[in-house]
Amino acid sequence: MPLGALLATVIAASPVQAQSAAGCSSSKPAAAGKSKPSYKKAGTVLAKNQRYAIVMNTSCGAIRIVLDRKLGGPIPNSIAFLAKKHFFDGLTFHRVVAGFVLQGGDPRGDGTGGPGYQVVGKLPSSYHYKLGDVAMAKTQADPSGAAGSQFFVISGPEGAQLPPDYGLLGHAADAKSLATIKRIAALATTACGSSDCPPSKKVWIVTAKLVPLGT
């Protein structure tokens, strides 16, 4: 099922010019441009009582997402399933909005693609997003917590103000991940005439790997 770009009550992001791309590679990953399969559902890949992270090695550094299985419901397993299928390898961050979010995980690269299925992991109404939270994009017509493959990373204070309508994958709050998030966020631009522009330099997901952590 195609997924649109993240839709929510629009919180205006202050236009900024793209900053230095220092620390971001221009190399195109081997998996770039390869078509991705469509799935009917996610297989079970996460073991009971085991903690996991998904490490996304991007062209601007690594983002280590510690999966939140308690609040995420079926979402962490679904994204872990796709990661094990190498679904995210070679995809991009197609939307970077200053002070707001970084969005990626779309096999089409334009905000309309998905893995062929959805899961739903609704958050409690009291939840407040934090810098480094990784949540799932959905269309306005989808139910609260609906998730395909498109995700967004809270990269600024305006993103933290979003209502808890977007299912939670996990948290990327360690220093290295936050440095990568900042590096990608610095590539925000309004050159396309809106606040929903792609970054000024293409940002690749080189690989996304599921990593077991301690129990």
Side-chain angles (χ1 to χ4, degrees):
M1 180 183 296
L3 292 181
L6 168 66
L7 294 176
T9 302
V10 177
I11 301 170
S14 301
V16 295
Q17 295 299 317
Q19 299 177 24
S20 171
C24 294
S25 171
S26 297
S27 298
K28 189 175 181 179
K34 293 184 178 180
S35 62
K36 301 295 180 179
S38 182
Y39 300 96
K40 292 183 178 180
K41 64 178 183 179
T44 300
V45 296
L46 301 184
K48 188 177 180 180
N49 299 323
Q50 173 69 55
R51 295 176 63 244
Y52 294 90
I54 289 176
V55 178
M56 289 190 175
N57 290 303
T58 81
S59 55
C60 290
I63 299 175
R64 179 177 177 269
I65 307 163
V66 178
L67 303 185
D68 193 327
R69 301 180 69 178
K70 181 178 180 180
L71 291 176
I75 294 171
N77 180 78
S78 175
I79 300 304
F81 165 78
L82 293 174
K84 285 182 71 69
K85 295 290 187 180
H86 304 285
F87 185 89
F88 296 103
D89 297 4
L91 301 188
T92 64
F93 282 85
H94 63 273
R95 179 179 183 236
V96 175
V97 184
F100 190 42
V101 299
L102 323 173
Q103 189 171 338
D106 177 11
R108 295 182 181 177
D110 61 4
T112 66
Y117 68 89
Q118 278 189 343
V119 297
V120 177
K122 188 174 180 178
L123 278 171
S125 59
S126 60
Y127 189 78
H128 295 282
Y129 298 109
K130 301 173 289 296
L131 181 67
D133 275 2
V134 182
M136 304 306 296
K138 70 180 188 70
T139 67
Q140 197 170 31
D142 289 327
S144 180
S149 64
Q150 290 190 51
F151 62 88
F152 62 93
V153 184
I154 302 294
S155 59
E158 294 173 7
Q161 296 177 35
L162 282 169
D165 291 335
Y166 306 94
L168 188 68
L169 173 61
H171 315 279
D174 62 282
K176 287 185 178 180
S177 295
L178 291 176
T180 298
I181 291 167
K182 184 177 181 180
R183 202 172 291 123
I184 298 172
L187 300 176
T189 176
T190 54
C192 69
S194 77
S195 63
D196 286 339
C197 295
S200 59
K201 175 176 181 168
K202 186 159 283 191
V203 180
W204 301 98
I205 301 171
V206 181
T207 59
K209 296 181 179 180
L210 181 66
V211 178
L213 305 175
T215 55

